[in-house]
Amino acid sequence: MSMEVNFTYATASNDMVYTAEDGTQFVYNAGDIAWTLASTALVWLMIPGVGYLYSGLLRRKNALSQLWLCMVTIGVVSFQWYIWGFSLAFSDTGGVFIGDLRYAALVGVLEKPSMGSVRIPSIVFCVYQLMFAAITPMLAVGAIAERATLGPIMVFIFVWSTLVYDPIANWTWNANGWSFKLGGLDFAGGTPVHISSGTAALAISIYLGKRRGYGTERLAYKPHNSSYVVLGTALLWFGWFGFNGGSALSANMRAANACIITNLAASVAGVTWMLWDYRLEKKWSVVGFCSGAIVGLVAITPASGFVGPHASVAFGVVAGTVCNFATKLKFIFGYDDPLDIFASHGIGGMVGNILTALFA
């Protein structure tokens, strides 16, 4: 495929001017491109962040498997995104439920204006959205912890990304998607990323069944490495500025607002969860704070481009409270979700969507 494109540069601003075959000109803003690419790197860091978080929460003998999973997921989804993932999610000639193969193997994905913003080229939008596609199955497959063979998981990740993530991304963010057409508000992935991964983790937990020793002292363990939990949370929190702020696809005030409310919601939810835990154990828990911060980040995700700081405080309090109590659902309904992925991402995403409807 030829890499020759019809670009010129605006000398004053260093913006790129692309001239299409029909003579239409599009101006790509250099600042927007730089911010989106920087956000891509931030979101990439979140994937090993998930690996460290999950690794720290498990027993020592199972910790390495989560780090393996986070790196393999990046590789498998990157290949799937190249083959047909991006096209199924974001082709502009697809249907209301799933895209077509117009951009399979990234043919035609380079210099054309992106579906997300005409101020950045399609290739920039493609690599940014790849990071969302990669982190989503990693969030879900943590549910296999301590009870599955690793090799087949690579096949599962490829198939799940194709049959689940890509269609939901199409519904939500593609201009042809049914949810997009109905005016659904999901700025950065409450449904495609968090609800899909959380409910997938629930399905995995139910399908695989309980771990050996479930309900006994054998599995009543504490996180083997709290430092890994803090490191994973720090990488996720750091990357979430690109996750939510970068979803503006522009270096503008909307991105700045998304960053401030992302930080505020995480902070409030972290303190809220920690206080709920303190009422039971009478100890201040760094793992509790980290758990709360994660659900605050999850909840604010769909609303991060639509609400202000005052609303984000409510997101933090409600998410920190509801998700803390949601961790008891596995005991009520008898499923074994060792990392509370459904409570954090499934319930947290639902809380975020409901609050988005109330505050946006």
Side-chain angles (χ1 to χ4, degrees):
M1 182 177 65
S2 173
M3 295 294 290
E4 295 182 4
V5 293
N6 190 9
F7 276 133
T8 56
Y9 289 86
T11 55
S13 63
N14 205 36
D15 291 341
M16 291 177 286
V17 181
Y18 164 65
T19 304
E21 293 179 356
D22 62 1
T24 304
Q25 289 192 329
F26 298 91
V27 178
Y28 297 148
N29 184 271
D32 291 352
I33 293 173
W35 170 238
T36 306
L37 290 176
S39 296
T40 300
L42 290 173
V43 180
W44 188 96
L45 275 176
M46 294 173 68
I47 304 172
V50 175
Y52 274 108
L53 175 67
Y54 287 176
S55 176
L57 290 170
L58 293 172
R59 289 181 287 183
R60 183 186 303 273
K61 68 176 185 176
N62 301 110
L64 185 59
S65 65
Q66 295 299 316
L67 297 176
W68 178 88
L69 272 173
C70 76
M71 301 312 297
V72 167
T73 300
I74 295 172
V76 171
V77 177
S78 293
F79 179 67
Q80 188 269 355
W81 199 245
Y82 158 75
I83 292 294
W84 56 41
F86 177 72
S87 189
L88 293 176
F90 292 107
S91 62
D92 46 21
T93 53
V96 295
F97 294 109
I98 193 168
D100 55 26
L101 297 179
R102 178 178 183 182
Y103 298 128
L106 300 187
V107 173
V109 181
L110 181 62
E111 75 282 0
K112 295 179 180 179
S114 73
M115 177 169 289
S117 170
V118 295
R119 291 164 61 89
I120 62 173
S122 184
I123 194 66
V124 175
F125 181 69
C126 173
V127 71
Y128 179 65
Q129 285 295 333
L130 164 60
M131 300 302 114
F132 287 68
I135 195 173
T136 305
M138 178 58 210
L139 292 171
V141 296
I144 72 161
E146 305 188 1
R147 55 187 163 172
T149 304
L150 294 179
I153 295 298
M154 293 187 286
V155 177
F156 173 82
I157 290 169
F158 189 98
V159 174
W160 187 88
S161 295
T162 301
L163 298 182
V164 179
Y165 178 81
D166 295 340
I168 297 177
N170 176 271
W171 306 345
T172 308
W173 292 319
N174 192 312
N176 297 324
W178 66 266
S179 179
F180 188 96
K181 286 185 173 181
L182 290 175
L185 298 179
D186 193 335
F187 189 68
T191 300
V193 177
H194 299 297
I195 294 178
S196 70
S197 63
T199 51
L202 175 63
I204 292 170
S205 299
I206 295 172
Y207 178 77
L208 292 180
K210 298 179 177 65
R211 293 166 291 169
R212 292 192 189 96
Y214 180 80
T216 67
E217 286 297 320
R218 177 183 175 188
L219 293 185
Y221 59 84
K222 293 185 177 181
H224 97 275
N225 193 324
S226 296
S227 296
Y228 274 15
V229 175
V230 173
L231 175 61
T233 302
L235 289 173
L236 284 165
W237 198 329
F238 179 68
W240 229 292
F241 291 109
F243 197 91
N244 288 352
S247 290
L249 301 175
S250 182
N252 57 20
M253 290 303 295
R254 194 178 201 186
N257 181 71
C259 288
I260 188 67
I261 66 173
T262 294
N263 186 73
L264 185 56
S267 302
V268 172
V271 173
T272 301
W273 185 301
M274 184 176 62
L275 289 173
W276 281 116
D277 280 358
Y278 183 82
R279 87 189 194 282
L280 297 176
E281 300 181 8
K282 297 298 185 285
K283 293 181 180 179
W284 300 112
S285 169
V286 68
V287 173
F289 179 85
C290 290
S291 299
I294 297 298
V295 302
L297 293 165
V298 168
I300 198 62
T301 292
S304 55
F306 309 119
V307 303
H310 302 314
S312 70
V313 173
F315 275 73
V317 172
V318 174
T321 300
V322 172
C323 294
N324 181 286
F325 285 93
T327 60
K328 309 301 186 291
L329 291 175
K330 62 184 179 184
F331 303 115
I332 296 173
F333 294 103
Y335 62 88
D336 184 10
D337 183 2
L339 295 169
D340 289 319
I341 300 170
F342 176 66
S344 298
H345 294 276
I347 300 298
M350 295 175 196
V351 167
N353 278 5
I354 293 170
L355 292 178
T356 299
L358 294 176
F359 287 98

